[in-house]
Amino acid sequence: MIANKARWYGMNEQQMKVGLRMTLEQKTKMLKRRWPKAVLIILLVLVVSVIAGSIYQDRSKQAEAIQYPPLGTIVEVEGQQMHVYAQGEGDMTIVLASGHGTENPYVDFYPLHEKLSEQARVVVYDRFGYGWSDQTSVSRDIDTITQELHTLLHESGEKGPYLFVAHSIASLEAIRFAQTHPDEVAGIVLLDAGNPTFYETYETPSKAVQKSMQTLKNTGVLRMLSNIESVADTLLQPEEGYGQHIPESLKKLQLAMFLKNFSNDTVIDEMLLLQSNAKKVIDAGDLGDLPLIWFTSGINQQAIKGWAESQEALAEWSTNNKQMILDSAGHYVHHHEPGIIIEEISNLTKALLQN
């Protein structure tokens, strides 16, 4: 092959081999010279993209802060701002406590508070890192969270007795509030909320995994992807059936809050302290005969190892207890069976007021 080409170009075979070798060496040197420049260009493109995405994220958050002002009251707690929303009147105050990562508790609890407020005072609060509340660098120790809530309720003028309705990991703050302020709590209703003994050994996602998700938000990647309707629907629907009782008018607010609060440092810290917080609640002992009702997701009983047993064991927290299993409901039971839950809360409220 080389000999044929050498004859074609008027060169002998040896000259052709030397020429090819020199050409290859020149190309190698050229690539070596260009490679650092190529890497530099790629890095510059990435840096510019990250900066542009971060600016896009920050400016969008600023615009949405104006577009979606707080629906309730901003209260100063420990030098920072916490948000509380309240509606309705009555001698019992129902306090709705959201689960981990629920970026906007007002929207999440919409299926409950709109109906419950027709017969009682209903309060929805945003822990630090959620909703319209500030983020905080203060450790998310359960006693700190509970004291912040206690201060928020008193500073906003929301008086007891309180009936706590807690979803998911909010079981910890509801039980801890009852342990530390027993005279102010009339009862607890749990919405597929974990037994502290379950959370004590629960393996949480690593900080690195949670921070990587935060990076996607901070650099505007999630926001850009959310412009795709199917992606936005996925972000707003943690499980099938979620949001079926939320008005369309609130879903844009919900998305804005997701893109603002998702996987922030305060929320990450809360999850990383889950096991130690659960242990502190366990060490403080049971609740005596405090009325305790809990709704269990039938789907979670099948899907999560140990969930069914730990839910049954919630009976050990109070001698005055009742469990209701919602067979077809997912973890967000209040989105699947709000009618049943509202009826039970209403009945409990009436019974507590009669006593």
Side-chain angles (χ1 to χ4, degrees):
M1 183 69 176
I2 293 176
N4 291 336
K5 285 188 176 183
R7 286 195 297 272
W8 177 263
Y9 289 109
M11 296 187 292
N12 61 40
E13 186 174 343
Q14 184 62 30
Q15 289 175 320
M16 189 66 175
K17 288 180 179 179
V18 171
L20 286 174
R21 185 164 58 249
M22 290 178 65
T23 301
L24 289 173
E25 289 175 355
Q26 289 171 348
K27 286 183 177 180
T28 301
K29 289 179 181 179
M30 182 178 65
L31 287 173
K32 286 181 178 179
R33 288 196 303 270
R34 290 183 176 180
W35 177 245
K37 293 181 181 179
V39 172
L40 181 59
I41 291 171
I42 292 170
L43 289 175
L44 286 173
V45 169
L46 288 174
V47 169
V48 170
S49 299
V50 168
I51 292 173
S54 299
I55 292 172
Y56 170 54
Q57 168 70 1
D58 290 341
R59 289 186 176 176
S60 297
K61 282 169 56 180
Q62 292 169 10
E64 287 164 351
I66 297 172
Q67 184 178 1
Y68 302 110
L71 295 176
T73 303
I74 297 296
V75 179
E76 185 173 308
V77 176
E78 302 299 329
Q80 293 182 283
Q81 294 186 331
M82 287 188 76
H83 174 260
V84 58
Y85 174 86
Q87 64 178 344
E89 300 296 334
D91 296 325
M92 180 72 66
T93 301
I94 299 172
V95 180
L96 303 178
S98 65
H100 177 78
T102 302
E103 287 78 14
N104 191 302
Y106 170 84
V107 176
D108 180 63
F109 280 125
Y110 186 87
L112 299 185
H113 63 68
E114 285 301 297
K115 291 293 184 181
L116 288 173
S117 63
E118 295 175 0
Q119 52 195 291
R121 183 69 168 173
V122 179
V123 171
V124 184
Y125 69 96
D126 299 340
R127 292 190 299 276
F128 282 126
Y130 292 79
W132 286 278
S133 292
D134 288 342
Q135 294 184 40
T136 181
S137 59
V138 178
S139 176
R140 296 296 81 201
D141 172 84
I142 192 62
D143 282 343
T144 301
I145 292 174
T146 302
Q147 186 54 48
E148 289 166 351
L149 172 57
H150 188 262
T151 301
L152 175 68
L153 291 173
H154 279 257
E155 290 296 319
S156 61
E158 300 301 335
K159 300 178 181 178
Y162 304 119
L163 172 59
F164 273 87
V165 178
H167 176 236
S168 196
I169 72 166
S171 58
L172 298 181
E173 62 206 80
I175 294 173
R176 190 61 179 149
F177 197 103
Q179 290 171 336
T180 55
H181 305 284
D183 296 337
E184 299 181 43
V185 180
I188 295 176
V189 176
L190 301 178
L191 307 177
D192 204 45
N195 191 324
T197 58
F198 179 87
Y199 290 139
E200 186 184 23
T201 57
Y202 182 77
E203 292 188 14
T204 61
S206 69
K207 186 174 182 178
V209 169
Q210 296 183 69
K211 291 292 284 186
S212 66
M213 299 305 294
Q214 182 188 97
T215 299
L216 292 177
K217 179 197 69 176
N218 290 346
T219 56
V221 174
L222 278 182
R223 185 174 292 276
M224 285 184 279
L225 289 174
S226 72
N227 291 313
I228 303 171
E229 186 176 353
S230 59
V231 174
D233 290 342
T234 300
L235 295 177
L236 295 179
Q237 193 175 36
E239 64 185 17
E240 185 176 354
Y242 182 95
Q244 57 188 312
H245 300 285
I246 295 176
E248 288 298 320
S249 59
L250 288 179
K251 290 188 177 179
K252 288 185 177 180
L253 164 62
Q254 185 187 14
L255 181 60
M257 284 295 178
F258 178 92
L259 295 172
K260 167 181 175 280
N261 292 322
F262 176 69
S263 198
N264 62 57
D265 286 341
T266 306
V267 171
I268 291 175
D269 189 35
E270 183 182 82
M271 178 55 72
L272 293 176
L273 291 177
L274 180 64
Q275 292 183 354
S276 60
N277 282 342
K279 185 178 188 305
K280 183 170 286 189
V281 173
I282 293 168
D283 291 344
D286 62 51
L287 302 172
D289 63 352
L290 183 73
L292 175 64
I293 297 175
W294 66 100
F295 295 88
T296 300
S297 159
I299 292 176
N300 268 3
Q301 284 205 127
Q302 302 298 321
I304 302 176
K305 183 179 180 180
W307 191 255
E309 295 79 5
S310 68
Q311 286 287 293
E312 186 177 347
L314 278 168
E316 298 172 6
W317 283 93
S318 173
T319 57
N320 184 2
N321 66 75
K322 177 182 180 180
Q323 180 185 20
M324 296 187 68
I325 300 173
L326 304 177
D327 293 328
S328 60
H331 181 50
Y332 292 84
V333 291
H334 48 298
H335 284 259
H336 297 272
E337 298 286 0
I340 294 174
I341 293 170
I342 289 170
E343 182 179 4
E344 284 296 319
I345 293 174
S346 299
N347 291 339
L348 177 58
T349 300
K350 292 174 184 176
L352 291 171
L353 289 174
Q354 289 175 356
N355 294 334

